[in-house]
Amino acid sequence: MIALYINWDFDSEIINIFGFPLKYYGLLFGVGLLLCTYILKGVFKRENLKDNAHEALFVYGIIGIFFGARLGHCLFYDFEYYSKNILEMFLPIKINQIGEIKFIGYSGLASHGGTIGLIISLFLYSKKYEIKYLKILDLIAIVAPLGATFIRLANLMNSEMIGNPTTISWAFIFRKVDNIPRHPAQLYEAIAYFIIFIIVFTVYKTKNIKLGNGFLFGLVITLIFTMRILIEFVKINQVEFEEGMKLNMGQILSIPFIIIGIYFMGKNLTKNETKYKTSH
């Protein structure tokens, strides 16, 4: 039976130049952001928004996502360690017990923190370029699932965020972890997020119903974090304190996002229904 399973044994490091590694994680993270930026350029043109506003969005987006994701990991998943090693929160280094510094890159990033960081940075962006905040959230929501797809593919290349043991025929054996067939949970999420991207992009392009500002944002975070909760059930826990918990940290952190998403969708649908009744 083991011959049916997929043996996964990729080196997370593509190349190392003078001690500075280029890793699949960073490469896929960057490619995802660039592709999202390219798609948004067409969206901005369709919405008659200025080119300089589009160009600045990449900077605001990457700063918000990266710092939010990094701080989210440090605060939500490993606060005990990083509270004693604050410098390592912000710099891609590891300081050992005798004070030696090693460049290791940023390996700990949390999607919930990245989402919060992006929302905050977009608020500042909306003020700077005088674009309605909910409108810019909607536009980012169109490509956010695509960016999340690339991040989960990066996790797959790193053999991290792996699934629970299983005997399904498409199980992966992550050789860098152990020799046990497991759910490819990262791939499940990547596929789910790509499907969400197709759905949201189609809704935006067709516009068969009149949607108010905030609807697409609500739809995306509801779908993404609902899938996150479901897939977490076939994924191993990320940190020790999650053992014995009915819902792990990723699931708990997803619940507020789903509530917010449902609120924005419901608010828009209720408003549209009221307008329809008034006009008739």
Side-chain angles (χ1 to χ4, degrees):
M1 283 292 292
I2 196 167
L4 296 175
Y5 301 142
I6 299 170
N7 286 281
W8 195 258
D9 192 20
F10 278 87
D11 190 339
S12 62
E13 191 173 294
I14 303 171
I15 191 172
N16 192 302
I17 303 175
F18 303 115
F20 293 91
L22 172 62
K23 298 185 177 182
Y24 281 106
Y25 193 102
L27 179 64
L28 287 168
F29 192 97
V31 169
L33 279 174
L34 288 173
L35 185 56
C36 290
T37 302
Y38 175 77
I39 294 172
L40 274 176
K41 186 174 183 178
V43 171
F44 267 54
K45 185 176 181 180
R46 179 181 174 128
E47 297 293 327
N48 295 315
L49 297 174
K50 297 177 181 179
D51 287 340
N52 66 328
H54 169 260
E55 293 166 1
L57 183 61
F58 177 80
V59 177
Y60 277 82
I62 195 169
I63 291 174
I65 292 171
F66 178 75
F67 281 102
R70 180 60 180 164
L71 290 175
H73 170 79
C74 297
L75 298 177
F76 298 149
Y77 290 95
D78 206 357
F79 178 75
E80 183 177 355
Y81 174 82
Y82 285 104
S83 63
K84 301 173 184 176
N85 300 273
I86 296 176
L87 194 61
E88 292 181 24
M89 279 190 185
F90 305 99
L91 299 177
I93 60 173
K94 182 81 171 178
I95 305 174
N96 62 25
Q97 294 179 343
I98 60 175
E100 292 178 337
I101 298 175
K102 182 180 180 182
F103 181 89
I104 60 171
Y106 292 105
S107 57
L109 300 172
S111 58
H112 297 88
T115 302
I116 295 171
L118 180 61
I119 290 172
I120 294 172
S121 67
L122 290 178
F123 176 76
L124 299 175
Y125 170 87
S126 69
K127 295 298 183 183
K128 171 71 174 178
Y129 290 92
E130 298 179 340
I131 303 173
K132 287 183 178 180
Y133 183 46
L134 287 180
K135 182 177 181 65
I136 198 63
L137 286 179
D138 278 341
L139 299 184
I140 288 294
I142 296 169
V143 297
L146 184 61
T149 299
F150 277 86
I151 291 173
R152 284 298 175 254
L153 291 176
N155 295 138
L156 179 64
M157 297 305 295
N158 271 3
S159 295
E160 59 190 5
M161 300 184 72
I162 60 177
N164 295 324
T166 182
T167 57
I168 56 174
S169 59
W170 61 83
F172 278 45
I173 299 177
F174 296 97
R175 293 295 184 186
K176 294 189 179 303
V177 180
D178 53 34
N179 294 316
I180 301 173
R182 297 178 176 275
H183 284 285
Q186 322 95 318
L187 192 56
Y188 295 165
E189 281 195 73
I191 293 171
Y193 296 157
F194 186 72
I195 292 173
I196 293 171
F197 165 69
I198 296 298
I199 292 171
V200 176
F201 191 74
T202 301
V203 170
Y204 169 73
K205 292 284 284 187
T206 55
K207 292 188 174 180
N208 289 327
I209 57 174
K210 183 66 175 177
L211 302 175
N213 290 334
F215 180 86
L216 291 179
F217 168 69
L219 175 63
V220 165
I221 63 172
T222 299
L223 292 176
I224 283 181
F225 288 106
T226 296
M227 293 308 304
R228 177 68 186 269
I229 287 178
L230 295 176
I231 294 173
E232 285 289 324
F233 285 114
V234 298
K235 188 189 298 182
I236 66 169
N237 291 326
Q238 302 301 303
V239 286
E240 290 185 10
F241 71 76
E242 292 178 319
E243 299 298 331
M245 296 171 61
K246 291 184 179 180
L247 296 177
N248 64 28
M249 180 60 75
Q251 292 171 312
I252 292 171
L253 292 173
S254 295
I255 294 173
F257 287 98
I258 294 173
I259 294 172
I260 292 170
I262 292 173
Y263 166 77
F264 276 106
M265 285 193 295
K267 180 180 178 182
N268 272 273
L269 293 175
T270 302
K271 186 183 296 184
N272 286 336
E273 184 179 353
T274 302
K275 288 181 178 178
Y276 177 81
K277 289 180 178 178
T278 303
S279 63
H280 288 70

